[in-house]
């Protein structure tokens, strides 16, 4: 299952996200990644912090890079460059720690950015629940699905895969993705109490109106605007009012 974000506009260029995608790409060309992989039964070392910069295959990197490109840029936009880099490290560490707790005797080395991606998706779930998305299964595609619904299905699938692999006695890393997703939601709720979204929305209002467009408060679709007043979004059929104090929904 894949979840694709539709347009969600940014205020700041996601320099950290782009650099991290490029860095994880470079690690694909290492001759050996065994010394960077995290193995729970071995002594803790730098691998606890390096394993999530590596991916086992190009396909795995591509999947994680796509998710980072679609979702991490908006999280970086909200929390700022430095805080986003710290969150990247935190979610990667948390995913490895979770794998250790559930598989202490494992001698299977793990690498991958999936745990980080999952934490970012958890934050996105809280910050942008109404952004439209596309859900893709093997042969079925659902379009214009609110992100809170598509990501709910996504995390349930991760939990199901973990149960299946555990039942088959496979040392699964899916539990790390479930935990980081939930912690990402908690972190996002804590940041909401600091009004980080209100500050971002203020910057977005200034930028978009200077560019003669405003963003629909429901789906973030850009709408041409020459002055303040009443607007209708043809993308999601939402009516709203835009003035100097911000966007307001109308009946």
């Amino acid at each position: 299952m894949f979840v694709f974000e539709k347009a969600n506009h940014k205020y700041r260029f996601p320099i950290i996200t782009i650099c991290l995608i490029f860095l994880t790409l470079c690690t694909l060309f290492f001759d050996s990644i065994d010394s960077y992989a995290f193995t729970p039964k071995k002594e803790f070392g730098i691998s606890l912090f390096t394993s999530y910069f590596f991916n086992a295959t190009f396909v795995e990197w591509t999947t994680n890079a796509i998710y980072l490109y679609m979702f991490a840029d908006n999280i970086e936009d909200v929390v700022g460059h430095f805080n986003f880099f710290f969150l990247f490290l935190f979610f990667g560490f948390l995913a490895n720690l979770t794998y250790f707790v559930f598989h202490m005797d494992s001698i299977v080395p793990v690498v991958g950015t999936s745990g980080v991606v999952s934490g970012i998706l958890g934050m996105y779930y809280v910050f942008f629940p109404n952004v439209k998305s596309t859900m893709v299964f093997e042969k079925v595609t659902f379009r214009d699905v609110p992100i809170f619904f598509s990501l709910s299905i996504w995390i349930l699938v991760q939990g199901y895969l973990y149960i299946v692999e555990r039942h088959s006695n496979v040392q699964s890393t899916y539990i790390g993705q479930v935990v980081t997703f939930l912690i990402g939601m908690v972190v996002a709720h804590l940041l909401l109490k600091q009004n980080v979204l209100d500050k971002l929305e203020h910057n977005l209002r200034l930028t978009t109106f200077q560019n003669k467009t405003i963003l629909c408060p429901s789906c973030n679709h850009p709408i041409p605007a020459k002055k303040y007043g009443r607007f209708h979004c043809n993308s999601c059929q939402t009516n709203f009012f835009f003035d100097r104090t911000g966007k307001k929904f109308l009946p």
Side-chain angles (χ1 to χ4, degrees):
M1 173 189 175
F2 289 91
V3 177
F4 295 95
E5 168 207 52
K6 300 193 76 172
N8 191 2
H9 298 271
K10 303 176 291 295
Y11 172 66
R12 289 178 283 211
F13 181 76
I15 182 64
I16 301 299
T17 298
I18 299 301
C19 288
L20 288 171
I21 291 174
F22 179 74
L23 177 61
T24 55
L25 173 63
C26 292
T27 60
L28 287 175
F29 299 96
F30 279 48
D31 292 333
S32 175
I33 63 174
D34 291 342
S35 59
Y36 302 99
F38 174 64
T39 307
K41 199 169 184 179
K42 290 184 178 180
E43 182 181 356
F44 276 22
I46 193 65
S47 63
L48 189 62
F49 301 94
T50 59
S51 63
Y52 44 86
F53 288 96
F54 292 78
N55 291 278
T57 65
F58 181 76
V59 173
E60 181 184 0
W61 173 83
T62 301
T63 302
N64 289 327
I66 290 174
Y67 273 104
L68 285 174
Y69 181 78
M70 287 191 298
F71 297 99
D73 58 344
N74 295 113
I75 301 302
E76 181 179 349
D77 197 15
V78 171
V79 302
H81 305 305
F82 175 80
N83 291 333
F84 174 76
F85 181 69
F86 173 79
L87 287 170
F88 184 95
L89 299 178
F90 170 71
F91 287 135
F93 170 80
L94 181 63
N96 282 339
L97 188 62
T98 303
Y99 182 71
F100 169 78
V101 170
F102 282 83
H103 307 288
M104 291 185 180
D105 296 326
S106 174
I107 59 173
V108 178
V110 293
V111 294
T113 319
S114 300
V116 176
V117 168
S118 188
I120 289 170
L121 292 180
M123 295 186 68
Y124 198 99
Y125 180 97
V126 175
F127 283 157
F128 306 103
N130 295 318
V131 169
K132 297 298 185 291
S133 66
T134 299
M135 289 195 306
V136 179
F137 292 89
E138 289 187 0
K139 297 182 180 180
V140 182
T141 300
F142 299 93
R143 303 182 186 279
D144 295 327
V145 180
I147 201 72
F148 76 87
F149 181 80
S150 57
L151 288 183
S152 295
I153 300 298
W154 183 86
I155 195 59
L156 287 175
V157 169
Q158 308 310 303
Y160 170 76
L161 292 174
Y162 170 72
I163 294 173
V164 170
E165 290 192 349
R166 285 291 291 172
H167 184 71
S168 303
N169 294 321
V170 175
Q171 294 171 343
S172 175
T173 59
Y174 285 110
I175 186 61
Q177 297 183 37
V178 174
V179 170
T180 53
F181 184 91
L182 296 176
I183 296 300
M185 293 178 62
V186 173
V187 171
H189 278 295
L190 292 176
L191 290 175
L192 281 177
K193 293 184 178 181
Q194 303 299 319
N195 298 320
V196 292
L197 278 185
D198 292 341
K199 298 174 184 177
L200 174 70
E201 187 65 23
H202 173 70
N203 291 332
L204 279 174
R205 286 204 303 271
L206 292 177
T207 303
T208 54
F209 198 72
Q210 289 172 359
N211 293 332
K212 305 299 182 183
T213 62
I214 58 175
L215 302 180
C216 171
S218 177
C219 67
N220 278 343
H221 181 74
I223 301 172
K226 295 183 179 180
K227 60 181 180 179
Y228 296 109
R230 184 187 182 103
F231 294 91
H232 175 76
C233 177
N234 293 324
S235 177
C236 65
Q237 305 303 315
T238 296
N239 295 311
F240 63 96
F241 191 84
F242 184 81
D243 59 16
R244 293 184 183 275
T245 62
K247 298 187 283 284
K248 301 176 182 178
F249 287 99
L250 295 175

